[in-house]
Amino acid sequence: MKKIIIAAILALGFTVAASAQPKAIGARFGYGADLSYQHYAGGANFIEADLGLGEFSFLNVAATYNFMIAQPDWTSQGEWGFYAGPGLALATGKDLFYVGIAGQVGLEYTFNFPLQISLDVRPQFSFTNFGFWGWAPHLGLRYRF
């Protein structure tokens, strides 16, 4: 019984800690469009998962773990952040199937109200056909909660 109570308390603690982390949801626009979700994973680092139509009208799914490299104090209001990180990517379309790795580099600004804007690039390398895709810069607009 004691083990069950301890396990329940730990599960509740992890749930509260996960829900207390900031999140953001929105879209990335560039040469294609993505639905975008960010979940902050301790400190300023975050996981970003995107689903959308890629550069050549194929479905693209990517997830990256981004490290916040710098948070310059350029303005008295809002927060700036420069980030980069590795990830995985999958794309499929007519006669296409890519599985590969991704890298993301970007700059973001979070306003005093819950709006986040970012500019990033996420090149992706495919293991299935040994090609690169995703070099186009993207503008992200997200609601941060």
Side-chain angles (χ1 to χ4, degrees):
M1 182 68 177
K2 189 186 282 188
K3 290 180 184 180
I4 293 173
I5 293 172
I6 291 173
I9 291 171
L10 286 174
L12 180 64
F14 287 130
T15 303
V16 169
S19 65
Q21 301 299 322
K23 299 166 191 64
I25 191 165
R28 291 175 68 234
F29 304 99
Y31 199 65
D34 299 331
L35 294 175
S36 181
Y37 175 75
Q38 290 181 347
H39 184 86
Y40 287 79
N45 300 336
F46 61 93
I47 297 167
E48 181 173 337
D50 298 318
L51 169 68
L53 292 177
E55 297 173 4
F56 303 106
S57 298
F58 55 82
L59 184 65
N60 188 32
V61 177
T64 56
Y65 185 88
N66 294 293
F67 298 95
M68 191 61 69
I69 296 170
Q71 291 182 297
D73 191 18
W74 290 336
T75 57
S76 61
Q77 298 179 350
E79 297 176 5
W80 286 93
F82 176 67
Y83 58 89
L88 299 173
L90 175 97
T92 186
K94 183 179 178 182
D95 301 327
L96 297 172
F97 185 73
Y98 298 137
V99 175
I101 58 173
Q104 184 168 354
V105 177
L107 178 68
E108 71 179 17
Y109 180 73
T110 304
F111 293 90
N112 286 340
F113 49 94
L115 176 66
Q116 181 185 73
I117 187 168
S118 66
L119 183 63
D120 63 53
V121 65
R122 183 188 305 137
Q124 301 169 20
F125 175 76
S126 172
F127 293 124
T128 55
N129 68 349
F130 301 104
F132 284 97
W133 82 95
W135 285 95
H138 279 75
L139 175 69
L141 297 171
R142 295 179 193 87
Y143 171 73
R144 189 168 175 183
F145 55 98

